[in-house]
Amino acid sequence: MMAQTRPGEAPAVPGSGSRFAIDVRDFLTRQPRQLPSRYLYDELGSALFEAICRLPWYPLTRAEMRLLESHARDILHTGFTTAIELGSGSGAKLSALIGAAGAGRGRLDVHLVDVSGAALAQARRALEIFENVRVTTHETTYEDGLEEARLDRSLPGRRLALFLGSNLGNFDAPGRDAFLGLVRRALDAGDGFLLGVDLVKPEPELLLAYDDPLGVTAAFNLNLVARINRELLGRLDLDGFGHRAVWNRELSRVEMHLRSVREQRIVIGAAGLDFTMAEGETIWTESSYKYRAPEIASMLERSGFRIRSQWLDGVGRFALTLAEAVE
Ligand code: AVJ
């Protein structure tokens, strides 16, 4: 269809009305300049993240897999009939859990919530191979997905919400507490919550995990610049940016930044942006907060949960915590 332009109205720039365009305009003009980390995950970004999970320098995924496999029976043989995974990605974590629980598990109604349709399709295929598992996908936000899953309840019994992969690490403290409150309100007393979170470890290990020698994490970060060029009529020079990972000890977070290697003009047509970045100026693209195990327990308790079990992986320094919603 041809775009209609009324007299006196400028023709719309393709892509300019999208949420991405609006957020790029808003966040890139803040001080410090930043971009929301969720935009790292377009199709290419998601594939690069899957590659990161296989890197020897990024221990999180393997550590969590070991914990899920070792404790699958303790988790799934306690009578949950519904599992709701927020940010399920490729479905690898939940399928490892279900696979390792083996026989003796009852019927399971699985709800997958993710903003990526491609990831949901992949997760559905990974989970549908299990017997007595019904899969429902929700291509939406955590909040709406929790609500849809609550309304579409097919089996009586306790529900288990899952938030794995240290995705909690992307939230700052207020965002984290708001998220935990949201999960708690979507559950009934007695329902479960399984949370996988990465732990504080020595700085050199943290920096290697977020600035790997193969440059995959750098590509993951720089893909955001490439995505702006692809989707928002950006004219940015990929060579004009370098990947930086910083451990912010005071705030207990690893930050990813895109650092301008020289003074350069930034033009993004669909975001209506045209400004100059100084040499060394950065765009903050992600925070990954790291926790200590007791902090995980206390923040869950403050949000209306009681700790049932907490399992730690000593090699990868990762925590898997099973909590129960209290009255
Ligand atoms: C998917 C948000 C948990 O913060 O470790 C990996 C994303 N960023 N390498 C993380 C990520 C850089 C990852 N999370």
Side-chain angles (χ1 to χ4, degrees):
M1 202 179 77
M2 291 277 286
Q4 293 286 317
T5 307
R6 279 185 232 109
E9 197 180 83
V13 178
S16 61
S18 69
R19 188 74 242 170
F20 185 31
I22 293 163
D23 282 341
V24 165
R25 185 184 168 82
D26 173 4
F27 285 84
L28 267 193
T29 49
R30 290 190 193 183
Q31 270 327 313
R33 297 190 195 282
Q34 51 196 281
L35 288 168
S37 60
R38 65 175 173 282
Y39 294 115
L40 292 164
Y41 301 91
D42 65 345
E43 209 184 316
L44 178 54
S46 300
L48 289 167
F49 175 65
E50 293 290 322
I52 289 173
C53 293
R54 291 171 167 77
L55 295 175
W57 307 279
Y58 188 79
L60 284 73
T61 315
R62 282 177 303 277
E64 186 173 52
M65 284 294 203
R66 285 193 291 270
L67 290 169
L68 288 169
E69 282 166 4
S70 313
H71 304 291
R73 289 171 169 276
D74 308 324
I75 297 164
L76 283 187
H77 286 218
T78 51
F80 293 114
T81 55
T82 302
I84 307 163
E85 187 179 7
L86 303 170
S88 47
S90 66
K93 299 179 287 277
L94 189 52
S95 36
L97 181 71
I98 294 175
R105 157 186 66 76
R107 279 174 65 194
L108 198 59
D109 202 0
V110 169
H111 293 269
L112 306 173
V113 181
D114 206 290
V115 285
S116 160
L120 283 172
Q122 199 185 345
R124 171 185 287 284
R125 285 192 298 275
L127 289 159
E128 270 177 352
I129 60 164
F130 294 107
E131 251 179 78
N132 290 325
V133 170
R134 187 188 84 142
V135 182
T136 309
T137 57
H138 307 270
E139 185 178 340
T140 183
T141 59
Y142 297 146
E143 185 161 18
D144 291 348
L146 279 167
E147 179 62 11
E148 286 176 21
R150 197 178 61 77
L151 296 173
D152 176 25
R153 188 168 183 173
S154 70
L155 297 173
R158 293 162 64 222
R159 292 172 301 159
L160 176 69
L162 303 97
F163 196 49
L164 303 173
S166 206
N167 285 324
L168 191 80
N170 279 166
F171 292 114
D172 61 11
R176 173 200 72 199
D177 290 339
F179 171 81
L180 294 175
L182 186 79
V183 173
R184 173 62 193 87
R185 286 191 301 278
L187 298 174
D188 297 323
D191 285 344
F193 181 36
L194 186 66
L195 181 64
V197 176
D198 197 26
L199 300 176
V200 175
K201 46 186 111 336
E203 179 168 353
E205 288 174 40
L206 286 169
L207 293 182
L208 260 180
Y210 289 86
D211 192 2
D212 64 89
L214 277 178
V216 183
T217 311
F220 175 64
N221 198 9
L222 280 161
N223 175 54
L224 193 43
V225 177
R227 181 179 182 184
I228 287 172
N229 287 348
R230 285 193 294 270
E231 296 181 25
L232 299 181
L233 305 171
R235 306 261 296 277
L236 312 193
D237 182 1
L238 286 182
D239 292 335
F241 293 92
H243 168 68
R244 290 242 299 172
V246 180
W247 169 238
N248 184 330
R249 186 185 308 277
E250 291 68 49
L251 297 175
S252 196
R253 69 186 189 203
V254 178
E255 300 167 0
M256 283 204 321
H257 297 267
L258 291 162
R259 181 179 175 278
S260 181
V261 299
R262 50 179 152 75
E263 184 179 290
Q264 57 182 323
R265 188 170 162 200
I266 304 295
V267 178
I268 306 172
L273 288 176
D274 185 347
F275 61 91
T276 302
M277 268 186 90
E279 179 182 343
E281 200 183 340
T282 66
I283 302 169
W284 171 29
T285 52
E286 187 182 48
S287 293
S288 301
Y289 285 82
K290 304 299 171 186
Y291 288 93
R292 293 168 209 280
E295 288 171 348
I296 300 169
S298 53
M299 74 193 181
L300 282 166
E301 282 161 0
R302 280 198 311 275
S303 299
F305 294 96
R306 182 165 64 82
I307 308 306
R308 290 283 305 269
S309 308
Q310 186 171 63
W311 301 286
L312 306 182
D313 183 273
V315 179
R317 297 182 216 234
F318 194 95
L320 188 64
T321 308
L322 179 62
E324 185 180 296
V326 291
E327 283 298 348

